[in-house]
Amino acid sequence: MAMIERKHLEYLLDVEERHFHQDHPKSYELYQRARKSLQGGVPMLWMIRWAGTFPIFVKGGKGAHFVDVDGIEYIDFCLGDTGAMTGHAPDKTIQAVINQIKKGITYMLPTEDVIWVGEELQKRFGLPYWQFTLTATDANRFAIRMAREITQRKYVLVYNYCYHGTVDEAFITINPDGPGPRRGNLGPPVNPVETTKVIEFNDIGALKRALSDGDVACVLAEPVMTNIGIIHPDPGYHDALRNITNETGTILIIDETHTICSGPGGYTGKFALKPDMLTLGKPLAGGVPAAIYGYSSEIAERFHARLNLEDSDVGGIGGTLAGNALSIAAMRATLEHVLTESAYEKAIDLSIRFAHGVESIIEEFDLPWIVRRLGCRSEYWFRKTSPRNGGEAFAAIDSELDRYMHLFSLNRGILMTPFHNMALIAPDATETDVDYHTKVFRDAVVSLIGK
Ligand SMILES: Cc1ncc(COP(=O)(O)O)c(C=O)c1O
């Protein structure tokens, strides 16, 4: 089995870093200027988490490609970490945005488009009632608030190494000395053990034990874990999750924000899951900020019974710009014309091709690596078998190797998602794009272990 020398990897990283600096003089210049007014030279903290030592500045993009300020074109397999899963600047969404923008952007009143969107969401996800926010984080926060209000229970249950946005309750991991704040959790309001129980994904016994006291308001779950790498549920896991949550009166919230890569109705639509609540954001409006949370009639009734309309604007659920006319118009156009069955088919076929390409190189060089795929999202792991849960996945992280694969790709015109080794594929990508990635991946492997 092929081995990677760490000293050699260090040397290669240095070579790629120089290459990166040489190719991006304009981005570097902008970065230096940006640092004088923006912390870290970026408008949002994570934009410094790329493989290069400074971010590339974007000039513009269309479909599966974008160009940076140095004139370099990239195949985009990051797609704004799912925010641009539709491909950049989809024509129909742009047209709807332009039309709406001329008529007004936000009124804090509904427009007719929102009814079309609500009816479409019913069809896609099988839940009858919908509300809107601007981010998936807010959708999760509001769903949790509703669940706590209805059940009058304190705890939320999440999986080890999950990610659901900047939701305070979810920043908890199983640490060597037991559950506690996740590493790097900035300014937690309280120790999350006071608000949250945490278990490993795919562990039915732990799920039963955690819910048996009847003090958990909701389980907040991705149907397939994606944020510590793609981890599929064991056969029967979702049935068990549904049964145990039902038996214990715990509300099941399925977060489809990344798993919407599975198909037009997400994993829920594809596998006929029956959550009580569902949340989703990111690509819904073609990149325009928009997110949703939906729920069953029973949840709607129980919530209504506790709602005092007089105080609803200070109840902790909602936001002035949520459900604004612009994001609703963009969402309607995106659902109607962009995130269609045929667009998914194309993107998923390309993702299968991507996974096969990477697998063929892993086989050729006898690497102890694997590839996992979910719809139009593929990912390679530096381990021989699939992790079954977040703890195993976290242990498999090789940050140096990640960084090298990302930087090597970036220097050859491919942008991977900066978190682990994920490629999300837009319907506008081509087989040539995917095959080019296979070639670059092979070149990276050759550089690491020789021929
Ligand atoms: C599963 C999941 N839920 C929610 C979110 C939060 O999305 P946003 O940052 O747009 O609020 C993310 C972000 O990565 C996510 O992966």
Side-chain angles (χ1 to χ4, degrees), residues 138 141-143 145-146 293 311-319:
D138 270 353
R141 289 178 44 235
F142 299 160
R145 269 189 179 260
M146 281 179 70
Y293 56 111
D311 298 326
S312 60
D313 56 334
V314 288
I317 293 182

Side-chain angles (χ1 to χ4, degrees), residues 21 77 101 105 122 139 167 222 241 251 261 284 344 368 383 415 438:
H21 265 257
F77 287 144
I101 242 166
I105 294 170
Q122 287 178 333
V167 173
E222 278 195 288
L241 176 61
I251 291 170
C261 63
L284 262 183
Y344 271 98
R383 53 175 276 154
L415 187 77
T438 307

Side-chain angles (χ1 to χ4, degrees), residues 203-258:
D203 184 343
I204 295 174
L207 179 69
K208 274 190 189 149
R209 286 191 295 280
L211 300 189
S212 62
D213 287 344
D215 54 3
V216 175
C218 59
V219 174
L220 176 60
E222 278 195 288
V224 175
M225 289 190 84
T226 66
N227 279 296
I228 189 78
I230 297 169
I231 309 175
H232 288 273
D234 289 345
Y237 184 75
H238 275 292
D239 288 340
L241 176 61
R242 184 62 280 188
N243 290 338
I244 298 164
T245 45
N246 275 340
E247 283 157 21
T248 54
T250 313
I251 291 170
L252 175 59
I253 308 173
I254 292 285
D255 179 347
E256 288 276 6
T257 304
H258 274 181

Side-chain angles (χ1 to χ4, degrees), residues 92 116 120 124 330-340:
K92 293 285 188 184
W116 186 96
E120 177 65 17
R124 288 193 184 216
M331 203 185 301
R332 175 179 178 162
T334 305
L335 290 173
E336 197 169 358
H337 304 291
V338 186
L339 286 173
T340 57

Side-chain angles (χ1 to χ4, degrees), residues 46 81 135-138 140 163-166 222 226-227 255 257-258 282:
W46 315 342
D81 192 21
T135 64
T137 297
D138 270 353
N140 282 329
Y163 184 76
H164 295 282
T166 52
E222 278 195 288
T226 66
N227 279 296
D255 179 347
T257 304
H258 274 181
K282 295 200 184 181

Side-chain angles (χ1 to χ4, degrees), residues 174-178:
I174 302 172
N175 302 326
D177 50 352

Side-chain angles (χ1 to χ4, degrees), residues 346-381:
K346 191 157 180 274
I348 291 172
D349 280 351
L350 289 167
S351 197
I352 293 170
R353 190 180 181 94
F354 179 100
H356 284 166
V358 174
E359 268 159 0
S360 71
I361 309 303
I362 290 175
E363 218 170 279
E364 179 185 345
F365 290 88
D366 193 20
L367 294 163
W369 301 354
I370 49 159
V371 185
R372 285 296 169 263
R373 188 181 61 78
L374 177 70
C376 58
R377 184 186 300 271
S378 297
E379 174 150 44
Y380 50 89
W381 292 86

